Amino acid sequence: MGKTLTQIAQQLKNANRKVQLIYAFNGSGKTRLSREFKELIAPKSDAGGGDDEAGPLELSRDKILYFNAFTEDLFYWDNDLTLDAEHRLKIQPNSFTDWLLTLLKDLGQDGNIVSYFQHYANDKLTPHFSEDFAEVTFSLERGDDENIGNLKLSKGEESCFVWSVFYTLLEQVVSTRNVAEPDNRETRQFDRLEYVFIDDPVSSLDDNHLFELAVNLAGLIKSSEPGLRFLITTHSPLFYNVLHNELDMKANGKKEGCYLLERLEDGTFNLNTKYGDSNRSFSYHLHLKKALEHAIAADDVQRYHFTLLRNLYEKTASFLGYQRWSELLPDDRQAYFNRIMQYTSHSTLAGESVAEPSPPEKQTVRFLLDHLTQKYGYLQQQDISHG
């Protein structure tokens, strides 16, 4: 029997670390965990909010900032269904968004939002805030004094824009709190803030931009004063890998504050502490998987692809805590183990060689890759939506 998400949220709170990094397969409850943690830090009952979100959000914003699927849902499109001419991204009015946008406007941060968005999306795609900051329109600047206006963003561009709003606020939070004397701060509205919870920011970015985003976020976290604590959940191996290395999450030879969130068959959850160098091997997983998929699709499986397959099983076993990679093989493990070893064991004689794989042996590579992908679903993260 595992734990409830409320119990896991309490475990994370009790850990009292500056940074905690959580990897989870999609569908494992990352987004729900962020809500449970928010409720633990700023319970609705304390604000008397009941079903009214205005009360709890007003309280929670003082103690915790969080970015997740619910944050993105606060931004929605007015598609002008009648004329199909005025596409506007509207911002759901409540105590949180009113406070957020008023604060950014008063502190003159709208330009930074535009800069971040253009950097990660398209340097010609320009947001235009309404005077009251209640909605945003977008145009494509062509550089010849002409522009194409009233554009609707793709889902990926929209997520990038919402993240740009949140990240601009987070930068303002860190820079403001880094002023040691509260009376000298530009605003006192961040004084009581304790936690920042970030769930899978901008997973639609390409690898280069996702890498850059992770580096920038890690730098911001490292520059923040000790009183502010961060929890980050992700299903992206690359994002986890970069954050883990940039934040140097090591202590006494072990990785501290690093976890794997698992959803059990009975609906409960485990939060397993992760040790060892498996924390650094996520991006390699993806390269191995992609190389194998290309070989299978081209019907060009060679001897060395058995080595890649074995490496993928080894890295996966290390990450999930298995002592032997063969434990991940399907039924009749010994037969599959022998077949892989046939092509991956190095010959001791220069003239000795192993025959090239036969068509059935090549099918074994496909079968074992499919088995690993389907049984250990984190390898399918690009095909699944929010956790």
Side-chain angles (χ1 to χ4, degrees):
M1 175 67 71
K3 298 179 180 180
T4 66
L5 287 177
T6 301
Q7 291 171 322
I8 288 177
Q10 185 65 59
Q11 179 182 342
L12 293 169
K13 182 175 183 291
N14 292 344
N16 196 30
R17 298 186 183 280
K18 179 173 180 178
V19 185
Q20 297 182 83
L21 185 57
I22 303 166
Y23 182 85
F25 309 155
N26 267 315
S28 297
K30 301 187 307 299
T31 301
R32 284 175 289 158
L33 176 61
S34 69
R35 295 287 286 182
E36 289 292 338
F37 191 85
K38 190 277 295 184
E39 179 66 16
L40 185 65
I41 301 304
K44 290 182 180 181
S45 58
D46 285 359
D51 294 329
D52 180 5
E53 285 292 320
L57 280 171
E58 186 172 9
L59 175 63
S60 67
R61 77 185 187 197
D62 293 333
K63 294 186 176 181
I64 179 172
L65 293 178
Y66 64 93
F67 177 89
N68 59 19
F70 295 99
T71 309
E72 295 190 48
D73 288 344
L74 294 173
F75 296 74
Y76 65 98
W77 286 96
D78 178 350
N79 289 318
D80 186 19
L81 297 178
T82 302
L83 300 176
D84 192 29
E86 295 283 344
H87 301 292
R88 296 171 293 177
L89 185 64
K90 305 192 75 172
I91 303 170
Q92 178 69 38
N94 61 28
S95 66
F96 178 74
T97 54
D98 290 347
W99 169 79
L100 164 67
L101 295 175
T102 299
L103 190 62
L104 292 175
K105 181 180 180 181
D106 291 346
L107 296 176
Q109 293 298 307
D110 48 318
N112 285 339
I113 296 173
V114 174
S115 295
Y116 283 127
F117 172 69
Q118 290 183 326
H119 178 74
Y120 286 111
N122 183 326
D123 60 3
K124 300 295 190 295
L125 190 57
T126 305
H128 305 277
F129 286 95
S130 62
E131 185 174 351
D132 60 0
F133 270 51
E135 60 187 40
V136 191
T137 57
F138 297 86
S139 65
L140 191 64
E141 310 296 335
R142 299 177 57 179
D144 54 2
D145 296 328
E146 294 185 13
N147 65 77
I148 303 173
N150 298 316
L151 298 177
K152 183 176 180 181
L153 303 184
S154 68
K155 183 60 180 176
E157 291 167 337
E158 181 184 339
S159 295
C160 187
F161 176 76
V162 178
W163 169 253
S164 298
V165 173
F166 180 86
Y167 187 76
T168 300
L169 174 62
L170 184 57
E171 269 200 329
Q172 185 68 49
V173 167
V174 170
S175 64
T176 300
R177 285 175 60 99
N178 282 348
V179 176
E181 179 55 52
D183 288 339
N184 294 332
R185 293 173 178 172
E186 193 171 5
T187 177
R188 298 294 301 274
Q189 296 195 50
F190 307 133
D191 287 4
R192 297 179 60 220
L193 191 64
E194 300 176 12
Y195 293 95
V196 177
F197 198 122
I198 299 173
D199 173 36
D200 261 343
V202 199
S203 56
S204 60
L205 289 177
D206 61 49
D207 284 355
N208 289 334
H209 280 119
L210 193 61
F211 185 100
E212 183 181 6
L213 189 153
V215 170
N216 290 339
L217 179 59
L220 189 62
I221 292 172
K222 288 189 290 186
S223 73
S224 66
E225 50 84 26
L228 194 59
R229 284 158 285 184
F230 295 81
L231 296 94
I232 305 171
T233 59
T234 184
H235 75 282
S236 167
L238 178 60
F239 190 68
Y240 180 102
N241 179 46
V242 176
L243 279 175
H244 177 271
N245 289 310
E246 289 294 312
L247 292 168
D248 194 24
M249 300 182 71
K250 304 175 182 178
N252 300 321
K254 297 180 178 179
K255 307 298 183 281
E256 301 290 347
C258 302
Y259 308 97
L260 170 66
L261 177 67
E262 295 179 298
R263 185 180 186 277
L264 306 180
E265 291 185 0
D266 62 3
T268 60
F269 302 83
N270 276 337
L271 187 68
N272 299 317
T273 302
K274 289 167 36 55
Y275 299 104
D277 64 1
S278 60
N279 289 304
R280 296 180 293 156
S281 47
F282 284 110
S283 57
Y284 190 42
H285 281 70
L286 298 185
H287 290 300
L288 292 173
K289 181 172 179 283
K290 185 177 294 185
L292 288 165
E293 288 173 337
H294 286 171
I296 291 169
D299 192 24
D300 190 33
V301 173
Q302 304 296 323
R303 286 182 54 190
Y304 75 89
H305 288 109
F306 281 83
T307 301
L308 299 187
L309 183 66
R310 176 179 172 177
N311 286 345
L312 185 59
Y313 266 79
E314 289 173 343
K315 295 297 183 184
T316 305
S318 175
F319 172 64
L320 296 177
Y322 289 87
Q323 292 186 343
R324 294 178 296 276
W325 63 267
S326 58
E327 294 179 61
L328 274 60
L329 291 169
D331 295 338
D332 200 6
R333 292 177 182 171
Q334 190 60 47
Y336 290 116
F337 177 79
N338 291 341
R339 180 58 52 82
I340 293 175
M341 292 301 294
Q342 174 188 359
Y343 286 98
T344 60
S345 295
H346 295 289
S347 171
T348 58
L349 299 177
E352 187 177 347
S353 62
V354 178
E356 291 299 308
S358 64
E361 290 165 337
K362 293 180 180 180
Q363 285 298 316
T364 298
V365 173
R366 178 194 293 271
F367 172 74
L368 292 179
L369 180 61
D370 287 345
H371 168 76
L372 194 64
T373 299
Q374 293 165 11
K375 187 171 179 61
Y376 304 97
Y378 72 99
L379 289 172
Q380 303 181 68
Q381 74 271 6
Q382 66 271 24
D383 300 322
I384 309 176
S385 60
H386 294 295

